[in-house]
Amino acid sequence: MDKILILVDNIIHSEMIGQWLSEVYQVFFGHDDQCFTQEFDVILVDGPSLLKFGDKLREMKQSEAVIFVPVVLVTTNRDANLLTNQIWQVVDEIVIAPLRKSEFFARMRVLLRARHQSIEIDRLKQNKINEVNSRLDMATKAANVGLFDLDLKNNTMFLSREMKSQIGCENVEITDLYGDLKNRLHPDDRDRVLKLYEDLRKNSRKTFSVEYRLRHEDGSYRWILSQGSVLSDENGNPSRVLGARIDVTDKKLSQEMQERLVIAIESAAESVVITDSDGRITYVNPAFEEVTGYSRDEVMGQNPRILQSGEHDQLFYRNVWETISSDKIWKGLFKYKRKDGSTILHQSTIAPVKDSNGAIVAYVSVKRDITQERLLQDQLIQSQKMEAIGTLAGGIAHDF
C-alpha cells in the first residue's frame, strides 16, 4: 500500500486530506525532521510547512540515492499568486483550495503512477548495473585485473575486490590507499613509485605505467603492473586517478628464469643452435661463432646444411631428421666444415621443442667440439700400436 506523508499546518486541510486519503492509502502526519527517516510515496505540504521543511525537501530532491518522491503543495488562490519559480525546485504539483475530492484523487493517481514508474525504472537500471558489475567482476577475476578509482579532491577511493585479493586483503577495508601503498612497497621500489604518485597529484603527467613489488598479507612480495590515467576538473586540475593493477609475479619470475637461461647459454663452452620447425636457424650462441667461424648474422635464417662437410651420406641425414621430427632425441657424431674449409668433429645432441599443445615448434642442438680430443685419442692409439710393434720386433730379434 502506498504511503502518504502529510505536512500540512492548516488543521482543516490536514484533517480533511487525511480522512480522504486513509480510505485508500496509508497516511502519516509529520511535525518535525524525524518524519524524513522513513520513505514515502507522496508528500503533501502547505505554505508554512514548505518554509519549515524546504531545505530538507530540497536536499531529498537533489540526492541521487532517493527515487522520485512527488511533493504536492496545497495552497489558496491568493497564496498561489505569490509563488516564485524557485518553488519548482521542491514542488512537483500544486493543488488549490477549496479541494474537490475527485479531482484531488485524480492528481494523486497521476503522481503515484509517476512514482511507480520511477521505482520500476530504477529497479531495471539497478538490475542492469548489477549484471554489468557481475560480468565486470568475472572478467577482472579471470584476467587477474584489479581496478581502482581515486578521488583526489575528496580523498576517497574505490578498490575492486580483485585488486585487494592481489595482496590478500579481500576482507580488509583499505581507507588510505597512499598509506597502504607506502607501507607495502618493496624498499627498492618505494622512492620511485611514491615520486610517480606525487607527480600525478601535481598534474605533471597524465598517464602512467609502472612495475613494482607489493608486500602480500602472507609476507611475500608480489610483482604488480599498475597502469592508468589522471582526469582533470573544469579548471584543469587533477581530480581523479583511474587505473588497473595486474599481478605479473609469475610472468616476472618466468622472465627472470629466461634471462638466466639466456646468460647461461651465451656463456656456455658448447655450441648451441636453435632452429624453427622447418630447420631455419633462429639462434646461435657465441661458442658456435668461435668454433665455426661464422657470425650470428651470417647464419640467421640459414639451414644447418651450410656446415655439411660432405663426409655423411643422405641416409645419415635422413635418419637424423626422422628421429627428431618424430619427437625423439638424436645423439651422435657430426663432422662439420668451418667457414675456412677445415673440418671439426662434434659430439651432438638434437632435441625437439614443443609448445603447450604438444606441437613441435623448434629444435635445439648442443654440440661439443671433440676435434682435438679425437686427434689426441688417435695419436695415443697410433703410439700404442707402434709400441706394440716395437715390442714384437724386439722379441723376434732376441729369438734369433
Side-chain angles (χ1 to χ4, degrees), residues 103-117:
E103 181 182 347
F104 181 69
F105 268 96
R107 296 274 192 95
M108 292 297 295
R109 284 194 292 271
V110 171
L111 291 171
L112 284 168
R113 191 179 303 118
R115 162 75 172 168
H116 296 158
Q117 289 175 345

Side-chain angles (χ1 to χ4, degrees), residues 306-347:
I306 63 172
L307 300 173
Q308 288 183 6
S309 62
E311 298 195 23
H312 302 292
D313 57 22
Q314 290 303 312
L315 183 62
F316 173 85
Y317 290 111
R318 187 181 303 116
N319 176 59
V320 173
W321 181 253
E322 288 176 354
T323 300
I324 61 176
S325 60
S326 60
D327 195 20
K328 297 177 182 177
I329 297 175
W330 185 90
K331 294 182 179 181
L333 296 178
F334 256 117
K335 197 167 242 186
Y336 292 109
K337 183 171 66 174
R338 291 167 45 89
K339 185 178 180 180
D340 62 9
S342 59
T343 58
I344 48 178
L345 186 65
H346 274 173
Q347 177 70 52

Side-chain angles (χ1 to χ4, degrees), residues 15-35:
E15 291 180 351
M16 181 181 64
I17 292 172
Q19 185 179 354
W20 286 353
L21 294 177
S22 61
E23 298 174 6
V24 182
Y25 310 111
Q26 277 187 287
V27 175
F28 299 82
F29 294 91
H31 304 285
D32 53 36
D33 288 354
Q34 286 297 113
C35 62

Side-chain angles (χ1 to χ4, degrees), residues 34-194:
Q34 286 297 113
C35 62
F36 290 97
T37 59
Q38 298 185 54
E39 185 175 332
F40 297 97
D41 296 296
V42 175
I43 299 175
L44 290 99
V45 297
D46 60 6
S49 62
L50 181 59
L51 291 174
K52 181 178 180 181
F53 298 110
D55 290 341
K56 200 70 179 178
L57 291 168
R58 187 176 291 105
E59 180 183 334
M60 179 192 72
K61 288 285 188 179
Q62 294 175 349
S63 173
E64 295 181 359
V66 177
I67 302 173
F68 171 65
V69 178
V71 176
V72 180
L73 174 62
V74 181
T75 185
T76 63
N77 274 315
R78 179 176 58 83
D79 291 338
N81 294 328
L82 300 177
L83 297 178
T84 65
N85 290 332
Q86 293 182 345
I87 202 72
W88 298 108
Q89 296 178 3
V90 177
V91 173
D92 300 289
E93 184 69 58
I94 297 176
V95 293
I96 299 176
L99 303 175
R100 289 191 297 178
K101 186 176 181 180
S102 59
E103 181 182 347
F104 181 69
F105 268 96
R107 296 274 192 95
M108 292 297 295
R109 284 194 292 271
V110 171
L111 291 171
L112 284 168
R113 191 179 303 118
R115 162 75 172 168
H116 296 158
Q117 289 175 345
S118 296
I119 292 174
E120 179 62 15
I121 290 172
D122 184 75
R123 185 187 68 80
L124 294 174
K125 185 189 300 182
Q126 192 58 50
N127 287 345
K128 191 65 177 178
I129 291 173
N130 291 340
E131 181 183 346
V132 171
N133 286 341
S134 177
R135 289 179 179 176
L136 180 60
D137 286 343
M138 288 188 292
T140 55
K141 185 175 182 179
N144 192 27
V145 176
L147 306 177
F148 65 90
D149 179 357
L150 176 60
D151 188 328
L152 297 175
K153 289 188 174 182
N154 299 319
N155 199 29
T156 58
M157 75 192 100
F158 163 78
L159 305 178
S160 72
R161 180 178 176 84
E162 185 60 30
M163 178 172 169
K164 293 197 289 186
S165 72
Q166 291 172 352
I167 50 176
C169 295
E170 301 95 319
N171 302 316
V172 178
E173 186 66 25
I174 300 176
T175 57
D176 182 5
L177 182 62
Y178 180 80
D180 185 75
L181 178 68
K182 186 176 180 180
N183 291 333
R184 292 182 183 275
L185 277 169
H186 191 281
D188 294 341
D189 301 328
R190 185 175 292 122
D191 291 344
R192 172 173 58 88
V193 176
L194 294 183

Side-chain angles (χ1 to χ4, degrees), residues 73 81 140 277 284 293 357 369:
L73 174 62
N81 294 328
T140 55
S277 57
V284 296
N357 296 319
D369 184 0

Side-chain angles (χ1 to χ4, degrees), residues 271 273 284-299 306-307 336-344 346 369:
S271 298
V273 178
V284 296
N285 69 342
F288 172 90
E289 296 178 295
E290 181 180 350
V291 171
T292 66
Y294 286 100
S295 69
R296 184 175 298 177
D297 292 338
E298 288 178 300
V299 299
I306 63 172
L307 300 173
Y336 292 109
K337 183 171 66 174
R338 291 167 45 89
K339 185 178 180 180
D340 62 9
S342 59
T343 58
I344 48 178
H346 274 173
D369 184 0

